[in-house]
Amino acid sequence: MTRRTTHILAGVIALAASLGQSAPGATAQTSFQTCLTTTPVKVRQNVLKLVNARREARGLPSLSLQPKLNRAAQTHSCDMGRASALSHTGTDGSNVMDRAQREGYRPCLIAENVAAGHQSARDVVRSWMQSPPHRQNILRPDARHLGLGFASPQNGGSPHWTQVFARPC
């Protein structure tokens, strides 16, 4: 872990503590740190490449990764992983709009795909494309941004994936 990452993580935990709340995953600092750093750039880039290939094959514009949506998706993947659940509703009752807005993204359009158990970007995108509602989100012509989260729980549970598709207002 880099010094910058350590300082950012410490700041998030300190901020949450100062607000009288526990940070997501703060039951064990190691778990929280692992979860926040789980989605490597390479994984995000692979999913983006696969999603954009499917969009471009249908004449749709490419999506770009959006950092605020990445954070919203990562938070949700971590939450699902800790809860060993697959849901569009967070353990705090949040939905995709709530999570995006918490990160400072103001969407006029938002949609979410979640999945669990897939071990690679190729497998999860293939699965989403085989499901009509998930495929519809991937191929939304009005989407412009993508956020991706991936969390593999330390307890050996299934990896959890979250995709967020959006267009700002």
Side-chain angles (χ1 to χ4, degrees):
M1 184 178 318
T2 67
R3 174 178 275 193
R4 183 173 190 272
T5 303
T6 302
H7 288 291
I8 291 170
L9 291 171
V12 169
I13 292 169
L15 175 62
S18 72
L19 295 173
Q21 301 172 344
S22 60
T27 55
Q29 186 175 351
T30 304
S31 174
F32 178 58
Q33 290 175 349
T34 300
C35 201
L36 279 183
T37 61
T38 301
T39 306
V41 171
K42 184 176 180 181
V43 172
R44 283 194 176 115
Q45 290 297 331
N46 285 342
V47 170
L48 180 67
K49 180 180 173 184
L50 292 164
V51 164
N52 280 338
R54 280 143 181 91
R55 289 177 62 84
E56 290 165 8
R58 290 163 178 83
L60 298 171
S62 295
L63 301 177
S64 59
L65 287 172
Q66 209 292 331
K68 293 175 183 177
L69 295 178
N70 284 339
R71 288 192 303 271
Q74 185 64 33
T75 298
H76 190 53
S77 289
C78 290
D79 185 44
M80 289 189 299
R82 280 191 303 275
S84 296
L86 182 64
S87 177
H88 291 286
T89 304
T91 58
D92 62 355
S94 64
N95 61 39
V96 63
M97 178 69 83
D98 298 329
R99 292 185 291 273
Q101 288 179 337
R102 274 186 209 149
E103 294 299 335
Y105 190 94
R106 301 291 175 242
C108 279
L109 161 85
I110 195 151
E112 177 179 73
N113 288 345
V114 296
H118 302 283
Q119 300 297 321
S120 72
R122 185 174 309 281
D123 289 343
V124 74
V125 172
R126 182 182 303 124
S127 175
W128 280 324
M129 287 300 291
Q130 291 171 350
S131 163
H134 296 104
R135 181 176 54 248
Q136 182 180 7
N137 285 341
I138 290 171
L139 301 177
R140 289 191 72 110
D142 44 356
R144 293 297 174 263
H145 295 141
L146 175 69
L148 181 80
F150 170 83
S152 187
Q154 290 179 310
N155 65 6
S158 295
H160 286 73
W161 301 78
T162 304
Q163 272 184 322
V164 179
F165 302 89
R167 178 177 46 83
C169 291

